[in-house]
Amino acid sequence: MNDVKTILMLDGDGIGPEVMRETRRVIDWFSANGGTRYELTNGLVGGASYDAHGQPLTDDTLKLASEADAVLLGAVGGPQWEDLNFDKKPERGLLGLRKELGLFANLRPAVVFEALAEASTLKTDIVAGLNMIIVRELTGGIYFGEPRGVEKLPDGSRKGVNSLVYTSDEVERIARVAFDLAKKRNGRLCSVDKANVLECTLMWRETVEQVHADYPQVALSHMYVDNAAMQLVRDPKQFDVIVTTNMFGDILSDCAAMLTGSLGMLPSASLGEKCADGRIPSMYEPVHGSAPDIAGKNLANPLAAILSFAMMLRYSFDDTTSADTLEDAVKRLLVSGARTADIMEAGGRQVSTSEMGDAILFELENTAS
Ligand code: IPM
Ligand code: MG
């Protein structure tokens, strides 16, 4: 009997529905051609959910997410929702899913595909062959710390507060994810902090040091975040795995993404702690945003969403073979010259979102034969 897995598809806003449409075709191909059948359910999140239900994340979507074996999300946000109150903004839907599902570990690979090395704004020899991953803590830090908010002072001026808060347990748990990953890769872990200024991140550094005792095979280094930003553009290939706080990871991962030539190529995984039934709550999403300027025009690059499914195969379903099959198909189609508008700098023939979907299915068919 075929194994069955359920995936909750949250298309979201902007280019979300378009890139997810092509990803559905890829998932269906694996259902038809692999050992596992994927049952897809659908839900609303972000602006789409706000428009339908007046809030960016409903209990129904949350329930579907917690019941699914994994969640795949397109993108959230857009100018039409920018003036909403903080708790109604599309981004709150994303943050709510992360928090409610306990997705504390965010894996953001930055991989330069050989065929695209020239699309980077950096010199080709600086980025060619880059293959690093940022492990970003996702449910703590300044994104969620209390106290927070803006208050009015007696003199009529206002005071805004956000708090950077971590417990050593939270640091230890994310450090273990990063050490485990480094162990399976090239054995190098760089922990990024601001320990020269922020006490909280000095505690972060000390805790990572302690966890290191359990991973003698991993070479651990530490870097201040300002230096890390500089090193990422100076010599990115010095990095294998970076582990860092929620906000530093947010910033550094955009920088790392740009090294690769296109945000449209990068997937991400957000993982939680193993449940009693053995499942690991997980959500996969492209690193790119909702790109409202090109939404609905069949121009967006669906590869980040498609590669997010490859990450799901690898991390949620332990199916390395299918993940490799899919990633290899993407590499081949890039070599074949298919390019969406965002990666045209690397030369080739421009294709639409749906034609990119056709191209990946063509490559997958080639694998099978
Ligand atoms: C990201 C995004 C989000 C974040 C926003 C949309 C809330 O920038 O996933 O990197 O800041 O985490
Ligand atoms: Mg970001």
Side-chain angles (χ1 to χ4, degrees), residues 103-337:
L103 308 173
F104 69 94
N106 185 211
L107 275 42
R108 299 191 161 185
V111 174
V112 170
F113 290 88
E114 214 181 310
L116 295 185
E118 285 177 13
S120 173
T121 47
L122 268 73
K123 291 193 185 109
T124 309
D125 61 315
I126 301 286
V127 298
L130 175 70
N131 184 342
M132 61 172 291
I133 186 160
I134 296 183
V135 178
R136 167 188 178 195
E137 200 291 328
L138 204 59
T139 51
I142 200 165
Y143 270 51
F144 296 96
E146 299 282 347
R148 64 185 299 155
V150 178
E151 62 177 276
K152 208 162 189 162
L153 296 177
D155 69 0
S157 64
R158 297 194 306 157
K159 183 169 98 174
V161 177
N162 286 97
S163 307
L164 172 60
V165 183
Y166 274 113
T167 64
S168 53
D169 287 354
E170 286 174 309
V171 181
E172 177 173 343
R173 150 176 105 156
I174 191 72
R176 287 195 185 280
V177 171
F179 276 113
D180 282 331
L181 209 60
K183 206 166 90 178
K184 288 192 214 146
R185 292 172 49 104
N186 294 319
R188 283 180 290 125
L189 176 62
C190 178
S191 171
V192 171
D193 59 43
K194 190 72 186 173
N196 52 344
V197 177
L198 305 173
E199 291 85 347
C200 176
T201 71
L202 176 58
M203 184 278 289
W204 172 286
R205 183 179 287 220
E206 290 163 354
T207 308
V208 174
E209 283 287 350
Q210 281 162 12
V211 178
H212 187 205
D214 293 340
Y215 296 86
Q217 62 280 73
V218 175
L220 172 67
S221 60
H222 301 277
M223 213 180 259
Y224 297 140
V225 63
D226 47 351
N227 186 25
M230 182 179 78
Q231 296 298 335
L232 265 179
V233 286
R234 194 186 73 85
D235 176 22
K237 282 184 269 184
Q238 70 184 281
F239 297 111
D240 178 21
V241 181
I242 285 181
V243 63
T244 191
T245 64
N246 202 342
M247 188 159 82
F248 294 165
D250 177 45
I251 299 167
L252 294 180
S253 63
D254 264 29
C255 177
M258 207 52 224
L259 299 173
T260 69
S262 170
L263 220 55
M265 294 295 302
L266 294 182
S268 75
S270 304
L271 309 173
E273 249 159 315
K274 205 179 235 175
C275 308
D277 63 5
R279 268 186 328 127
I280 297 178
S282 59
M283 180 163 79
Y284 298 80
E285 50 180 306
V287 170
H288 63 66
S290 59
D293 50 326
I294 57 163
K297 296 185 179 159
N298 204 18
L299 281 174
N301 187 344
L303 292 178
I306 289 170
L307 289 168
S308 296
F309 175 61
M311 281 190 98
M312 183 188 292
L313 289 167
R314 198 178 292 288
Y315 293 105
S316 285
F317 304 145
D318 229 356
D319 186 354
T320 316
T321 314
S322 301
D324 287 345
T325 301
L326 182 50
E327 285 166 3
D328 288 345
V330 170
K331 280 184 203 146
R332 283 202 308 279
L333 86 76
L334 291 174
V335 171
S336 81

Side-chain angles (χ1 to χ4, degrees), residues 29-49:
W29 186 89
F30 278 93
S31 275
N33 294 282
T36 305
R37 191 160 59 78
Y38 300 102
E39 240 165 46
L40 306 184
T41 52
N42 300 294
L44 293 176
V45 72
S49 172

